[in-house]
Amino acid sequence: MNDRTLSVPGIVYGGDYNPEQWPEEVWAEDVRLMREAGVNMVSVGIFSWALLEPSEGVFDFSRTDRILGLLHEHGIAVDLATPTAAPPAWFFRAHPEALPVDRDGRTLSYGSRQTFCPSSPAYRAAALKITAALAERYASHPAVTMWHVHNEYGCHNAACYCDTSAESFRRWLRARYGDDLAALNHAWGTAFWSQWYYAWDEILPPRATGAVPNPTHQLDWRRFCSDELLSLYTAERDVLREAAPAIPATTNFMVMHNFDALDYWRWAPELDVVANDHYLMSADPESQIDVALSGDVMRSLAGGPWLLMEHSTGAVNWQPVNRAKTPGELRRNALAHVAHGADGICYFQWRAAKAGAEQWHSAMLPHAGTDSRIWQDVVRLGADLRALAEVRGSGGTAEVAVVWDWDARWALEFPSQPSGELRFQDLVRAWYEPLWRAGVAVDFVRPDADLSAYRAVLVPSLYLVDDAGATNLTGFAEAGGTLAVGFHSGMVDENSHVRLGGYPGAFREALGVRTDELFPLLPGERVALSGGGTGSLWSERVRPAGAEVVTSYTDGPLAGVPAVTRHAYGAGSAWYLATLPDAETLAGLLGRIREEAGVAAGRAAPKGVEVVVRRGADADYVFVIDHAGAGAEVSVAAGSVELLSGKPVDGVVLVTPGEIAVVRERRASA
């Protein structure tokens, strides 16, 4: 971390504030209601470029001056945005070449947001110009507590396939491969299908073709697109930092089920405050698990507490069916994010829009106004967060690490895999879920991370891994740790080249197995496993090479072949799961693995009750969240305090149906 920290005290609470969408006489009501709700910070100006710069080089900050003055007068801090996610119409009329081009060669029109080419010099120049103007005017404004750079990079324009992007891609490739075209040809395997390149100018983005594109070409393209957007962020951030060196800068990640465009391991070190947007998927019957998983990924990216920049009070507007949240779900979601490391809870947006593309997206102040359940829940949550102020800055307690890698995710989901049914996040969640149910704290790590703090390292899906990452993971087991690896991992190197000699490639020796052929399963197909249970998605012909057989297939073409193995490796052990066991069987296996590693389950709680611990300097904070709605009793230390009510608890905390308790436990060593 750095010395540019967010100065708002306690847990941050607020959301996107878009007063330009409303008559000025509404603003006074807004700030009055913000105070009533306990809001202490709002994001301002995210989509206001067209109003701040009505024509090129002509700026009008009068509205923003009044807004910031009003907020400051009422004690509400401002996260001031650069409005560069939505260039105005005049910009595109002057620079039509800055419009993005899709994979099929169609130029997209302006008229929504993020309709620009990330490689456009004209866009970059205009974005830095408006950023510099904002920085010059507001660097010393007392309301400005943080800079909000852009908004949701890559949400709609993660890739542009125009000629300008092609030129930028070639520059990126020349830097990556040391200006050595032969090295690129080797990395891309261009001897296949006569793809050999004799000049850099021959290389294009992976535009639509008649057959499957080169997988390494696609992989480098994804890496380039992430880096290109990151360069836009750092360029704007540097302008802001020069003007106001002490004010932290952030942008909002999207660590959620339906977004995978950016490698946030590369992005996170560039942010002063690591922030995220997270929205529930209506089709997910247990979306609270995705809340927890996302929060744990964010805490891991941040290396500690993080900020929830956006989520919803109720329904969103962009899914096929946008369900409202059930009673109490707003509060449970928000406090679950806090439990998993969020030091701030913000929403999109403050006041629900009456016009525009997001008019049916919920907000803190809904269309129905204050006579609504959402408003009552928003006010109650504000009081909850004030009561939890002391939790800010506390950390996690994980002894289990789960490997998460964007390169591996991208490569796994390219076409022409043995199975098109494999989805990285689904595989990770399948392994994460039984840990969540058991109350086991989890960190997420890169393959090359320092693993010394962990007893067990789980690798649900790591199709691609370089030598350094593979050596780091297997070295963890060799040094005494417990390593568990899922199928189709270690198969290819960083260039997406198959590791020869038998599967699972990079992990073959440590796992003590060798597979010579893969037998992916059809959708809905299952294989029976010895000891009970079934496997889905995948099977393979595994031959032990030192490993002991834990479970075998009992039917199908691989009857009698190992499905789960364990190998004593160095001072530790390495497990291999060559199928995806059903949820109960997988939970049993992972329970056995973590017990072998010396990792205990969390505090006993009824099914559907989440228990999470944040560790402070002299106390633990135990969050008990009843998602099932049946209520619960959970053991806590004697002489504790339940922070939301302020009441003492002595040995057991009672949570009423659908509610939450947060207990401060003083540690004996404190």
Side-chain angles (χ1 to χ4, degrees), residues 266-601:
R266 290 177 62 82
W267 280 66
E270 302 292 346
L271 275 63
D272 299 317
V273 176
V274 177
N276 193 47
D277 293 354
H278 184 272
Y279 291 101
L280 306 185
M281 304 302 293
S282 292
D284 185 349
E286 292 189 290
S287 55
Q288 66 269 21
I289 300 174
D290 194 56
V291 170
L293 190 157
S294 172
D296 286 345
V297 173
M298 285 303 303
R299 189 189 64 252
S300 303
L301 287 166
W306 53 281
L307 176 65
L308 181 65
M309 186 66 75
E310 286 185 25
H311 70 313
S312 66
T313 57
V316 298
N317 70 302
W318 43 268
Q319 296 177 36
V321 176
N322 297 295
R323 73 167 181 87
K325 291 190 175 181
T326 57
E329 192 173 8
L330 178 155
R331 187 168 179 256
R332 291 192 298 273
N333 288 164
L335 295 184
H337 281 296
V338 176
H340 290 273
D343 274 358
I345 297 295
C346 299
Y347 289 94
F348 180 83
Q349 56 181 323
W350 163 252
R351 183 183 283 269
K354 66 178 181 180
E358 294 182 293
Q359 67 193 94
W360 292 112
H361 194 295
S362 61
M364 299 176 78
L365 183 60
H367 293 138
T370 57
D371 184 16
S372 62
R373 192 193 75 200
I374 282 181
W375 175 252
Q376 294 165 6
D377 289 347
V378 163
V379 173
R380 184 185 183 194
L381 179 60
D384 289 338
L385 296 176
R386 287 194 298 275
L388 297 180
E390 68 182 78
V391 173
R392 178 170 171 166
S394 56
T397 61
E399 296 179 312
V400 176
V402 175
V403 174
W404 179 290
D405 185 70
W406 272 274
D407 276 2
R409 179 176 185 171
W410 296 333
L412 175 72
E413 297 179 13
F414 289 148
S416 293
Q417 283 283 337
S419 172
E421 296 297 308
L422 305 186
R423 296 289 179 270
F424 175 86
Q425 183 143 337
D426 291 345
L427 294 170
V428 171
R429 175 161 162 172
W431 285 45
Y432 177 86
E433 182 174 330
L435 299 170
W436 179 84
R437 293 192 189 283
V440 176
V442 168
D443 285 343
F444 286 86
V445 296
R446 301 168 56 122
D448 59 353
D450 178 1
L451 304 175
S452 59
Y454 304 105
R455 294 177 179 269
V457 173
L458 308 182
V459 187
S461 179
L462 193 65
Y463 169 68
L464 177 152
V465 63
D466 63 16
D467 291 345
T471 299
N472 186 51
L473 293 168
T474 57
F476 169 77
E478 191 171 18
T482 300
L483 177 71
V485 178
F487 61 82
H488 209 38
S489 294
M491 305 293 266
V492 299
D493 65 14
E494 67 273 20
N495 294 319
S496 210
H497 292 192
V498 173
R499 293 179 179 274
L500 304 179
Y503 316 125
F507 301 120
R508 191 173 62 239
E509 178 184 346
L511 295 172
V513 298
R514 183 178 182 276
T515 293
D516 71 333
E517 191 169 6
L518 309 175
F519 289 76
L521 302 175
L522 296 172
E525 185 180 5
R526 292 189 172 271
V527 290
L529 302 175
S530 61
T534 61
S536 63
L537 278 181
W538 194 267
S539 62
E540 57 187 66
R541 189 161 51 222
V542 174
R543 185 176 74 228
E548 61 179 287
V549 178
V550 176
T551 301
S552 300
Y553 307 110
T554 61
D555 63 5
L558 299 181
V561 171
V564 179
T565 61
R566 178 190 179 277
H567 185 220
Y569 186 64
S573 63
W575 293 66
Y576 185 49
L577 279 64
T579 189
L580 179 64
D582 64 85
E584 183 178 354
T585 303
L586 180 58
L589 282 167
L590 291 177
R592 180 176 168 184
I593 289 166
R594 64 171 174 77
E595 287 170 7
E596 176 183 288
V599 178

Side-chain angles (χ1 to χ4, degrees), residues 137 141 584:
R137 189 169 190 91
H141 195 289
E584 183 178 354

Side-chain angles (χ1 to χ4, degrees), residues 72-84:
H72 181 62
E73 178 185 344
H74 287 81
I76 299 167
V78 172
D79 171 33
L80 185 59
T82 64
T84 53

Side-chain angles (χ1 to χ4, degrees), residues 103 193 207-214:
R103 187 170 176 267
W193 276 2
R207 295 167 176 163
T209 62
V212 178
N214 182 312

